[in-house]
Amino acid sequence: MSDWQRATIAAQANGQHNSATGGVVGPIDLSTTFERSEDYSLPAGGIYRRDDNQTVREAESVIAALEGGGGTEARLYASGLAAIAALMRSARGPIVVQNGTYYGTNTFAARLADEGAPIGWFDANDLSSLEDACATHKPRLVMIETPSNPLLDIVSIAEAAAIAHRFDAALAVDSTTATPILTRPLEHGADIVVHSATKGLNGHSDVLAGALVGGGERREIFDAAAKARAYDGAVLGAFDAYLLTRGMRTLSLRVAASCRSALHVAHYLAAHPKVTRVRYPGLPDHPGHAVAAAQMDGGFGSLLSFDVKGGAEEALRVAGWLRLIKRATSLGGVESLIEHRHSIEPASTGMPPALLRLSVGIEATEDIVADLEQALAALP
Ligand SMILES: *Cc1c(COP(=O)(O)O)cnc(C)c1O
């Protein structure tokens, strides 16, 4: 199956089905415990669901096949943040983290620092700051996020990997906003891929899940994080794993449709007199456009941010006037969502007051644009 295109891997759940019944869809295995034989052996290997679950393994097999070739492995966690926590705690040493990424990642890193872990920071738009942070902290793990949420910063995965490896650190890439349809970080030299599968991978805003993908040469931290999942109990439920596999069957179609719309919406907003700035790597004037074009394949993602003319008040009014696009957190779902991050992050993150983050769904592009048009037009 390794020669299948990604659309095929996703649509066919990597060739899995119900081998007991011939059903074309895999079963949901809900057993928490597995019976032993008279000689006390385990006929199918499983002992207890916290260690291993067949329905979870099915979803992991799809993610691993989408992210890499042979030898690539995936582990699912109870949420994206559970995966990130397992990863960062498993580094057991200094970590260098990108500034201004997903709020939960930056907050988790800051909490680790409070507990005494050595954490260094770097700026996505200046890779010499990554070099400096590595020289200072001698990290075991470097964490990047590209495109970042919600600032849409772009980091060259290949360059970050070269720097991390020069200091003998593993490189982890949070690729949530790209999905494996657009970017496969392992192909660019990364050691571990992180996903909030809550977002684009599942795509229907009805599953909370996270994934780590790895298994290459530098697999020590990935393996430790995989063990931490069972030890710490950060496991995904079987129903959620089933829904995730179901959601991923349409991944390539959903990503293609939302990327196409997002690019159109970004151009529309960039030309709008009530919008002062658009952050979207697909726009030619984005500082990371060339790098994004080189490491993203077939589109620039469904996420963009734009600054409304004025400040927090104007941004909240525009959000409030929207009729189709829902005011809600999260991203990567079939429905378009808008969020005013400044309202929910503490002042310390410096989130621009006028910024609205838009996750473009798979609705008709003209309906999304018309909704933005009427909301922006109402602004004096
Ligand atoms: C949402 C998100 C996470 C956290 O995932 P949860 O599933 O909500 O725990 C991590 N990274 C990025 C980029 C995200 O958008």
Side-chain angles (χ1 to χ4, degrees), residues 251-306:
L251 181 64
S252 65
L253 288 177
R254 288 187 285 105
V255 169
S258 58
C259 282
R260 218 168 30 238
S261 270
L263 182 61
H264 186 88
V265 169
H267 279 292
Y268 163 77
L269 290 170
H272 199 288
K274 307 259 177 69
V275 172
T276 58
R277 178 169 181 181
V278 180
R279 293 173 168 87
Y280 186 65
L283 294 177
D285 64 353
H286 186 285
H289 177 69
V291 171
Q295 70 190 16
M296 301 180 81
D297 172 7
F300 295 90
S302 58
L303 192 70
L304 60 94
S305 294
F306 62 101

Side-chain angles (χ1 to χ4, degrees), residues 79-82 84 102 105 145 149 174 176-177 196-199 208-210 331:
S79 69
L81 210 45
I84 288 164
Y102 171 65
T105 303
E145 183 179 301
N149 164 20
D174 187 329
T176 297
T177 59
S196 169
T198 311
K199 314 291 170 55
L208 195 69
L331 54 99

Side-chain angles (χ1 to χ4, degrees), residues 79-89 102 104-105 108 143 174 194 212:
S79 69
L81 210 45
I84 288 164
L87 172 68
M88 290 175 82
R89 288 202 187 280
Y102 171 65
T105 303
F108 189 80
M143 275 204 66
D174 187 329
V194 181
L212 297 180

